[in-house]
PDB file of all heavy atoms in Angstrom:
ATOM      1  N   THR E  22     -19.425   3.955  16.517  1.00  0.00           N
ATOM      2  CA  THR E  22     -19.553   2.973  17.593  1.00  0.00           C
ATOM      3  C   THR E  22     -20.597   3.492  18.578  1.00  0.00           C
ATOM      4  O   THR E  22     -21.031   4.645  18.480  1.00  0.00           O
ATOM      5  CB  THR E  22     -18.227   2.784  18.374  1.00  0.00           C
ATOM      6  OG1 THR E  22     -18.006   3.962  19.161  1.00  0.00           O
ATOM      7  CG2 THR E  22     -17.049   2.546  17.456  1.00  0.00           C
ATOM      8  N   ARG E  23     -20.960   2.635  19.535  1.00  0.00           N
ATOM      9  CA  ARG E  23     -21.974   3.064  20.507  1.00  0.00           C
ATOM     10  C   ARG E  23     -21.474   4.246  21.333  1.00  0.00           C
ATOM     11  O   ARG E  23     -22.225   5.055  21.817  1.00  0.00           O
ATOM     12  CB  ARG E  23     -22.350   1.904  21.424  1.00  0.00           C
ATOM     13  CG  ARG E  23     -23.588   1.180  20.920  1.00  0.00           C
ATOM     14  CD  ARG E  23     -23.929   0.045  21.817  1.00  0.00           C
ATOM     15  NE  ARG E  23     -22.900  -0.987  21.733  1.00  0.00           N
ATOM     16  CZ  ARG E  23     -22.710  -1.932  22.627  1.00  0.00           C
ATOM     17  NH1 ARG E  23     -23.471  -1.987  23.686  1.00  0.00           N
ATOM     18  NH2 ARG E  23     -21.767  -2.835  22.477  1.00  0.00           N
ATOM     19  N   ARG E  24     -20.139   4.324  21.481  1.00  0.00           N
ATOM     20  CA  ARG E  24     -19.595   5.412  22.309  1.00  0.00           C
ATOM     21  C   ARG E  24     -19.159   6.622  21.494  1.00  0.00           C
ATOM     22  O   ARG E  24     -18.406   7.467  21.971  1.00  0.00           O
ATOM     23  CB  ARG E  24     -18.410   4.889  23.104  1.00  0.00           C
ATOM     24  CG  ARG E  24     -18.840   3.899  24.140  1.00  0.00           C
ATOM     25  CD  ARG E  24     -17.820   3.815  25.256  1.00  0.00           C
ATOM     26  NE  ARG E  24     -17.999   2.563  25.952  1.00  0.00           N
ATOM     27  CZ  ARG E  24     -17.053   1.674  26.173  1.00  0.00           C
ATOM     28  NH1 ARG E  24     -15.834   1.911  25.755  1.00  0.00           N
ATOM     29  NH2 ARG E  24     -17.304   0.568  26.825  1.00  0.00           N
ATOM     30  N   GLY E  25     -19.555   6.662  20.242  1.00  0.00           N
ATOM     31  CA  GLY E  25     -19.176   7.818  19.415  1.00  0.00           C
ATOM     32  C   GLY E  25     -18.470   7.358  18.150  1.00  0.00           C
ATOM     33  O   GLY E  25     -18.270   6.162  17.931  1.00  0.00           O
ATOM     34  N   THR E  26     -18.082   8.333  17.345  1.00  0.00           N
ATOM     35  CA  THR E  26     -17.476   8.018  16.048  1.00  0.00           C
ATOM     36  C   THR E  26     -15.953   8.026  16.159  1.00  0.00           C
ATOM     37  O   THR E  26     -15.370   8.992  16.652  1.00  0.00           O
ATOM     38  CB  THR E  26     -17.926   9.062  15.010  1.00  0.00           C
ATOM     39  OG1 THR E  26     -19.348   8.988  14.923  1.00  0.00           O
ATOM     40  CG2 THR E  26     -17.335   8.793  13.648  1.00  0.00           C
ATOM     41  N   LEU E  27     -15.325   6.932  15.704  1.00  0.00           N
ATOM     42  CA  LEU E  27     -13.869   6.888  15.699  1.00  0.00           C
ATOM     43  C   LEU E  27     -13.367   7.246  14.300  1.00  0.00           C
ATOM     44  O   LEU E  27     -13.911   6.761  13.299  1.00  0.00           O
ATOM     45  CB  LEU E  27     -13.381   5.486  16.071  1.00  0.00           C
ATOM     46  CG  LEU E  27     -13.838   4.967  17.432  1.00  0.00           C
ATOM     47  CD1 LEU E  27     -13.348   3.546  17.661  1.00  0.00           C
ATOM     48  CD2 LEU E  27     -13.309   5.889  18.541  1.00  0.00           C
ATOM     49  N   VAL E  28     -12.359   8.100  14.259  1.00  0.00           N
ATOM     50  CA  VAL E  28     -11.806   8.524  12.965  1.00  0.00           C
ATOM     51  C   VAL E  28     -10.514   7.752  12.726  1.00  0.00           C
ATOM     52  O   VAL E  28      -9.515   7.946  13.423  1.00  0.00           O
ATOM     53  CB  VAL E  28     -11.539  10.045  12.952  1.00  0.00           C
ATOM     54  CG1 VAL E  28     -10.982  10.470  11.592  1.00  0.00           C
ATOM     55  CG2 VAL E  28     -12.820  10.801  13.262  1.00  0.00           C
ATOM     56  N   ALA E  29     -10.539   6.843  11.750  1.00  0.00           N
ATOM     57  CA  ALA E  29      -9.374   5.984  11.504  1.00  0.00           C
ATOM     58  C   ALA E  29      -8.442   6.574  10.460  1.00  0.00           C
ATOM     59  O   ALA E  29      -7.232   6.334  10.481  1.00  0.00           O
ATOM     60  CB  ALA E  29      -9.839   4.603  11.055  1.00  0.00           C
ATOM     61  N   VAL E  30      -8.999   7.314   9.509  1.00  0.00           N
ATOM     62  CA  VAL E  30      -8.191   8.021   8.504  1.00  0.00           C
ATOM     63  C   VAL E  30      -8.746   9.439   8.451  1.00  0.00           C
ATOM     64  O   VAL E  30      -9.947   9.641   8.291  1.00  0.00           O
ATOM     65  CB  VAL E  30      -8.280   7.320   7.124  1.00  0.00           C
ATOM     66  CG1 VAL E  30      -7.662   8.180   6.041  1.00  0.00           C
ATOM     67  CG2 VAL E  30      -7.591   5.960   7.173  1.00  0.00           C
ATOM     68  N   ASP E  31      -7.856  10.412   8.616  1.00  0.00           N
ATOM     69  CA  ASP E  31      -8.324  11.765   8.882  1.00  0.00           C
ATOM     70  C   ASP E  31      -7.763  12.760   7.855  1.00  0.00           C
ATOM     71  O   ASP E  31      -6.622  13.209   7.983  1.00  0.00           O
ATOM     72  CB  ASP E  31      -7.872  12.155  10.301  1.00  0.00           C
ATOM     73  CG  ASP E  31      -8.524  13.437  10.768  1.00  0.00           C
ATOM     74  OD1 ASP E  31      -9.332  13.996  10.015  1.00  0.00           O
ATOM     75  OD2 ASP E  31      -8.203  13.877  11.887  1.00  0.00           O
ATOM     76  N   ASP E  32      -8.535  12.987   6.792  1.00  0.00           N
ATOM     77  CA  ASP E  32      -8.209  14.053   5.856  1.00  0.00           C
ATOM     78  C   ASP E  32      -6.860  13.839   5.167  1.00  0.00           C
ATOM     79  O   ASP E  32      -5.968  14.683   5.249  1.00  0.00           O
ATOM     80  CB  ASP E  32      -8.216  15.395   6.617  1.00  0.00           C
ATOM     81  CG  ASP E  32      -8.273  16.572   5.660  1.00  0.00           C
ATOM     82  OD1 ASP E  32      -8.639  16.375   4.491  1.00  0.00           O
ATOM     83  OD2 ASP E  32      -7.933  17.684   6.093  1.00  0.00           O
ATOM     84  N   ILE E  33      -6.725  12.711   4.491  1.00  0.00           N
ATOM     85  CA  ILE E  33      -5.452  12.492   3.786  1.00  0.00           C
ATOM     86  C   ILE E  33      -5.637  12.658   2.278  1.00  0.00           C
ATOM     87  O   ILE E  33      -6.691  12.350   1.725  1.00  0.00           O
ATOM     88  CB  ILE E  33      -4.806  11.119   4.097  1.00  0.00           C
ATOM     89  CG1 ILE E  33      -5.638   9.964   3.541  1.00  0.00           C
ATOM     90  CG2 ILE E  33      -4.568  10.932   5.589  1.00  0.00           C
ATOM     91  CD1 ILE E  33      -4.863   8.654   3.551  1.00  0.00           C
ATOM     92  N   SER E  34      -4.600  13.159   1.631  1.00  0.00           N
ATOM     93  CA  SER E  34      -4.606  13.370   0.179  1.00  0.00           C
ATOM     94  C   SER E  34      -3.268  12.923  -0.388  1.00  0.00           C
ATOM     95  O   SER E  34      -2.224  13.160   0.222  1.00  0.00           O
ATOM     96  CB  SER E  34      -4.774  14.862  -0.148  1.00  0.00           C
ATOM     97  OG  SER E  34      -5.986  15.358   0.366  1.00  0.00           O
ATOM     98  N   PHE E  35      -3.330  12.227  -1.525  1.00  0.00           N
ATOM     99  CA  PHE E  35      -2.093  11.885  -2.246  1.00  0.00           C
ATOM    100  C   PHE E  35      -2.450  11.461  -3.657  1.00  0.00           C
ATOM    101  O   PHE E  35      -3.607  11.156  -3.956  1.00  0.00           O
ATOM    102  CB  PHE E  35      -1.300  10.774  -1.531  1.00  0.00           C
ATOM    103  CG  PHE E  35      -2.052   9.473  -1.384  1.00  0.00           C
ATOM    104  CD1 PHE E  35      -2.032   8.523  -2.382  1.00  0.00           C
ATOM    105  CD2 PHE E  35      -2.772   9.208  -0.225  1.00  0.00           C
ATOM    106  CE1 PHE E  35      -2.731   7.334  -2.249  1.00  0.00           C
ATOM    107  CE2 PHE E  35      -3.478   8.022  -0.076  1.00  0.00           C
ATOM    108  CZ  PHE E  35      -3.455   7.073  -1.098  1.00  0.00           C
ATOM    109  N   ASP E  36      -1.457  11.451  -4.535  1.00  0.00           N
ATOM    110  CA  ASP E  36      -1.635  10.999  -5.920  1.00  0.00           C
ATOM    111  C   ASP E  36      -0.651   9.864  -6.186  1.00  0.00           C
ATOM    112  O   ASP E  36       0.392   9.773  -5.530  1.00  0.00           O
ATOM    113  CB  ASP E  36      -1.281  12.126  -6.908  1.00  0.00           C
ATOM    114  CG  ASP E  36      -2.279  13.277  -6.835  1.00  0.00           C
ATOM    115  OD1 ASP E  36      -3.435  13.042  -6.451  1.00  0.00           O
ATOM    116  OD2 ASP E  36      -1.867  14.407  -7.167  1.00  0.00           O
TER     117      ASP E  36
END
Side-chain angles (χ1 to χ4, degrees):
T22 72
R23 265 179 293 161
R24 292 203 200 127
T26 300
L27 301 177
V28 181
V30 170
D31 191 2
D32 196 18
I33 67 167
S34 300
F35 60 87
D36 292 334

